[in-house]
Amino acid sequence: GHVVGRRPGMEAGGELRVGFVGAGRMAQGVAQGVVRAGKVKAANVLASAPSDRNLGAFQDLGCRTTHCNSEVLQRCSLVFLATKPHLLPGVLQEISPAVTRDHVIVSVVAGVTLQTLQQLLPVGTKVLRVMPNLPCVVQEGAVVFARGSCAGEQEAALLKSLLSACGLCEETPESYIDIHTGLSGSGVAYVYLFAEALAEGAVKMGMPSALANKIAAQTLLGAAKMILETGEHPATLRSNVCTPGGTTIHALHELEKGALRATVMNAVEAATTRARELGKR
Amino acid sequence: PPPVDWLGSIALSLCHEWRMSGRHSPFAGAATWAAGPAGRAMSVGFIGAGQLAFALARGFTAAGILAAHKITASSPDTDLPTVSGLRKIGVNFTISNKETVKNSDVLFLAVKPPIIPFILDEIGSDIENRHIVVSCAAGVTISSIEKKLSAFCPTPKVIRCMTNTPVIVREGATVYATGTHAEVEDGKLLEQLMASVGFCTEVEEDLIDAVTGLSGSGPAYAFTALDALADGGVKMGLPRRLAVRLGAQALLGAAKMLLDSEQHPGQLKDNVCSPGGATIYALHFLESGGFRSLLINAVEASCIRTRELQHLADQEKVSPAAIKKTLLDKVKLESPSVSMASASKVSLFSSSWAPNSKKN
């Protein structure tokens, strides 16, 4: 059994053991992030999945694996739930007997609300809900999380410390999570689309596509880095690039003619709305 | 070039200090008039008595930088509504352009661009070295004016200026470029005049067409926007007058915030848009309609058209439709050597207009 009063997530000896129920891409991304950043020893990470298909990635990282979800609850105090949404209720039912008040349960499952999680887990369980995005895999993710009613500041601080290994991590009200999906979860795909289009433009003008793709990606990376590091408003940075009568302002005019801004707003809105719909099911 | 008179320079600096202490001082009867080149109070003339002349005259007198009786305006067309407006504020009105030239130190050419060549031919012989000729005509280059005037005067002082109608309420936007023979002081003198009715700065001449597109035509874009905003207000239940008043105040206030702020307008916009609030919903509509690109298109179109008109003028072909018939007849009366080359086009340089021909 577990001793009541121990610091959350800490095993005997003070080392954090982190578990993953579900071992898909998102779980892998988070695991890679926390292990590579040295937040958790690989040997202290345990992942479970029904088949071996996804467990290979965890093994390559040096983590332990199992086919038994309950074992993860028994061995780890901080457990990520990373199953597909339709599988979650069944999994929660399965593991609930092994969940104690010392556990910190962190759901990475899209569209499943804190309310639902708390209903399906024992009363008083510390639950947090996380929405990461794909670049967690390369430790440049954008992650937001919200606390359930029994999760306190210590749990929030622990989670934030862990997930900062994956990139940007912020605590938010739960209502922001669907917006984060629209902005950053799906947003990654918008950026891929934009990168593709940039490269295509270059190809049209005579550049080979492999080079164009690489430069397009680096352009996005560099521009994003400037926003984050200078702290300037993107409008200011944009104006700074536009010399009077120059190439950039001519190009921006084309983007404005195409109502790019409104289209992007529409995209974020559509994804957010859909996330909300899915969350209600 | 005439030496800078020490009286004139003292008067200039007095005026400058007075102006710096508060632009909107109601100094109708003050003795600190803007000083002309000779040190005495400056006279200003307007060839043309239309909207521009009226706006500037009104602005200068309201700013107290010029007394109305030191302003002369001329036009062959006495029926213009602006003519009675000018008379009302005490400006000397005449139908003789030559009289205006004689009574002015600073001479504004405030006629439509196609008329400029006619005017220059008419008054060229009356232009002296002391005159500062300021053309406000969109698209008309300094070199085209200097070329015309050099037939009469070896070193004409020419300044090209682009202003806009809000000079009438002393919130104009003006730029100017100085010609070959205009001195630094001449530019500063004009700047002093125009700064009394709004913002004024010197630019390179090649930027003036862009300024035309932006702030020259700009008030028209604003009026259109305000009309539509008011419509929006009325649609949602506001009485028209109130809607117009509030719309105008909103734009005025926003413009003032931007001018007073170091921040980018994008940042100021963000400051107004609370998350999920009314404003961001509205902005989304604007973006969907390509609002920004429409404005960019407008500035571009106005600038390009200005250049086109200049190109047409350079080719010295102007269709009579561009010139009001009464005006053309009156110009013909005063300059009998103008000949109509053909029924469809007027060539401004027909054979009877040899550069050295004298006018009556």
Side-chain angles (χ1 to χ4, degrees):
Chain A
H2 298 267
V3 175
V4 172
R6 184 179 296 136
R7 265 175 58 212
M10 287 307 176
E11 309 306 295
E15 285 192 350
L16 180 63
R17 286 204 200 148
V18 174
F20 290 86
V21 176
R25 298 204 61 181
M26 208 46 87
Q28 288 167 28
V30 173
Q32 273 169 24
V34 300
V35 168
R36 284 189 183 143
K39 303 273 183 176
V40 188
K41 286 195 194 142
N44 286 338
V45 175
L46 176 63
S48 69
S51 75
D52 281 334
R53 188 167 39 97
N54 288 325
L55 293 176
F58 278 87
Q59 286 157 4
D60 290 342
L61 210 51
C63 307
R64 303 203 194 153
T65 61
T66 172
H67 292 299
C68 174
N69 293 335
S70 298
E71 188 186 338
V72 174
L73 271 297
Q74 284 150 15
R75 288 183 173 279
C76 308
S77 340
L78 190 139
V79 176
F80 285 96
L81 303 174
T83 70
K84 290 231 175 341
H86 67 277
L87 295 174
L88 187 64
V91 166
L92 288 177
Q93 224 177 11
E94 182 194 333
I95 62 172
S96 276
V99 174
T100 71
R101 290 203 177 206
D102 286 333
H103 276 108
V104 179
I105 306 292
V106 182
S107 165
V108 185
V109 182
V112 179
T113 61
L114 285 165
Q115 188 184 43
T116 304
L117 291 163
Q118 283 166 174
Q119 274 169 2
L120 295 175
L121 286 165
V123 170
T125 306
K126 298 179 190 126
V127 180
L128 300 107
R129 180 186 173 193
V130 169
M131 172 50 62
N133 72 349
L134 209 46
C136 286
V137 169
V138 293
Q139 289 156 276
E140 286 293 356
V143 183
V144 302
F145 71 90
R147 277 191 242 166
S149 45
C150 301
E153 281 186 24
Q154 278 187 312
E155 288 75 46
L158 173 65
L159 187 61
K160 186 165 179 175
S161 156
L162 269 184
L163 293 178
S164 297
C166 302
L168 176 73
C169 180
E170 300 282 352
E171 182 179 351
T172 67
E174 193 179 10
S175 61
Y176 290 6
I177 290 189
D178 291 328
I179 306 171
H180 180 73
T181 304
L183 166 61
S184 184
S186 299
V188 175
Y190 320 157
V191 178
Y192 293 150
L193 190 149
F194 192 64
E196 213 184 323
L198 280 173
E200 258 183 329
V203 169
K204 178 178 176 181
M205 303 317 290
M207 185 181 277
S209 68
L211 181 60
N213 278 319
K214 218 163 143 178
I215 294 178
Q218 184 65 29
T219 305
L220 290 166
L221 177 65
K225 198 161 179 179
M226 284 194 70
I227 298 177
L228 290 170
E229 285 191 6
T230 64
E232 300 256 34
H233 196 283
T236 306
L237 292 170
R238 169 177 50 87
S239 291
N240 290 348
V241 187
C242 291
T243 42
T247 61
T248 311
I249 190 68
H250 273 71
L252 281 178
H253 191 185
E254 289 301 319
L255 292 178
E256 297 289 6
K257 281 184 203 168
L260 177 65
R261 293 174 185 258
T263 309
V264 171
M265 287 175 78
N266 291 345
V268 174
E269 187 172 336
T272 305
T273 304
R274 184 63 177 157
R276 287 175 182 158
E277 275 170 28
L278 291 172
K280 287 202 175 89
R281 289 193 186 167
Chain B
V4 177
D5 191 276
W6 68 268
L7 264 180
S9 63
I10 288 176
L12 268 175
S13 60
L14 273 176
C15 289
H16 179 77
E17 269 184 46
W18 162 82
R19 182 173 58 82
M20 291 303 282
S21 69
R23 259 184 43 212
H24 297 275
S25 86
F27 257 73
T32 51
W33 302 125
R40 58 175 167 77
M42 171 170 64
S43 312
V44 166
F46 292 95
I47 305 289
Q51 297 289 347
L52 181 61
F54 178 65
L56 285 173
R58 179 75 175 270
F60 294 153
T61 51
I65 202 165
L66 213 49
H69 69 270
K70 299 297 279 181
I71 304 177
T72 310
S74 56
S75 166
D77 186 351
T78 53
D79 292 333
L80 293 169
T82 43
V83 169
S84 58
L86 284 164
R87 282 190 167 127
K88 273 200 194 104
I89 58 179
V91 166
N92 304 306
F93 179 79
T94 168
I95 57 165
S96 164
N97 290 333
K98 286 172 166 313
E99 191 182 321
T100 299
V101 176
K102 288 202 172 82
N103 293 333
S104 308
D105 302 311
V106 177
L107 183 70
F108 284 91
L109 305 180
V111 294
K112 289 191 172 29
I115 313 284
I116 294 278
F118 290 103
I119 296 298
L120 293 173
D121 277 315
E122 183 196 338
I123 61 169
S125 53
D126 299 297
I127 299 289
E128 299 167 26
N129 280 335
R130 67 181 177 86
H131 282 112
I132 302 173
V133 177
V134 182
S135 164
C136 302
V140 178
T141 58
I142 292 173
S143 74
S144 69
I145 299 171
E146 286 178 346
K147 192 166 130 190
K148 272 272 182 188
L149 287 178
S150 60
F152 308 98
C153 173
T155 54
K157 291 185 205 237
V158 177
I159 302 181
R160 179 180 173 186
C161 169
M162 170 49 55
T163 183
N164 65 358
T165 48
V167 290
I168 201 171
V169 292
R170 296 162 60 212
E171 287 292 357
T174 308
V175 302
Y176 69 95
T178 49
T180 322
H181 311 291
E183 304 290 326
V184 169
E185 308 91 66
D186 303 322
K188 290 299 165 196
L189 188 63
L190 178 70
E191 188 170 322
Q192 187 193 3
L193 260 180
M194 299 310 291
S196 74
V197 292
F199 171 74
C200 180
T201 191
E202 185 173 7
V203 295
E204 293 297 319
E205 191 183 6
D206 60 357
L207 295 184
I208 292 189
D209 293 334
V211 173
T212 308
L214 173 55
S215 57
S217 300
Y221 316 155
F223 294 140
T224 308
L226 287 167
D227 200 10
L229 284 170
D231 277 345
V234 168
K235 179 176 176 182
M236 303 319 290
L238 296 177
R240 169 70 55 172
R241 280 180 68 104
L242 180 61
V244 170
R245 187 73 184 76
L246 292 172
Q249 187 65 34
L251 289 196
L252 176 66
K256 197 154 185 190
M257 278 182 75
L258 180 56
L259 288 173
D260 281 353
S261 166
E262 299 279 300
Q263 294 186 309
H264 193 284
Q267 177 68 68
L268 291 172
K269 169 196 39 95
D270 278 3
N271 295 348
V272 186
C273 290
S274 43
T279 310
I280 189 70
Y281 269 69
L283 274 182
H284 192 181
F285 264 99
L286 289 180
E287 297 290 1
S288 300
F291 184 57
R292 292 173 186 254
S293 76
L294 287 179
L295 291 171
I296 298 173
N297 292 345
V299 174
E300 188 176 42
S302 171
C303 178
I304 289 175
R305 180 60 178 162
T306 302
R307 290 178 188 153
E308 249 175 38
L309 291 170
Q310 168 57 33
H311 189 59
L312 287 171
D314 276 346
Q315 289 178 333
E316 296 156 9
K317 296 239 178 285
V318 175
S319 74
I323 305 169
K324 279 192 201 158
K325 187 167 191 308
T326 51
L327 203 58
L328 190 57
D329 286 344
K330 285 181 176 150
V331 169
K332 268 173 68 181
L333 277 173
E334 288 178 25
S335 308
S337 54
V338 174
S339 73
M340 306 293 276
S342 72
S344 58
K345 293 263 188 259
V346 176
S347 171
L348 299 172
F349 283 97
S350 68
S351 55
S352 59
W353 276 28
N356 292 326
S357 67
K358 290 291 172 214
K359 302 289 173 289
N360 57 329

